[in-house]
Every structure is written in structure tokens, then in C-alpha cells.
Amino acid sequence: MPRLAVFAVVLCVLAVAAAVVSFVEGSLLGIVWVFMAGITSNMAWFYVRKAKIEKAAAAARAAA
């Protein structure tokens, strides 16, 4: 897994934890953390897909 994807997953987990803590304490600031978790999860998927496509392209160039 690419390093940026790992960082994005870590940030996603931390954002989810912060959202849970915010909602438990009764703060609506947790909504912001939920949005942050969504953005970082999308970033993780993007970097994983990008690495997979680059790997496939490199294999195709090596085969040709």
C-alpha cells in the first residue's frame, strides 16, 4: 500500500475517533470530523487505485 494511502487511512481513523468523542461530549463539531473522515477515506482509495493502475501500466510496458 502506498505511503500516502497509509497516512490517509490513519487520518481517517483519527477523524472517526474524534467524531465519536465529539458526539459523546454533546458537541456538534463532530459533523466536521465526519466530513474529514469521508475526505480522507476517499483520498486513501484514490492513492490505492492510482498505485494499482501505475503497477499495471509498468507491467504492460515491461511485457511489450
Side-chain angles (χ1 to χ4, degrees), residues 1-2 4-13 15-16 33-51:
M1 184 181 281
L4 287 174
V6 173
F7 289 154
V9 168
V10 169
L11 284 175
C12 183
V13 170
V16 168
W33 290 114
V34 169
F35 288 145
M36 180 72 78
I39 291 169
T40 55
S41 70
N42 286 342
M43 287 172 55
W45 279 114
F46 172 78
Y47 288 123
V48 167
R49 277 187 38 221
K50 182 179 173 187

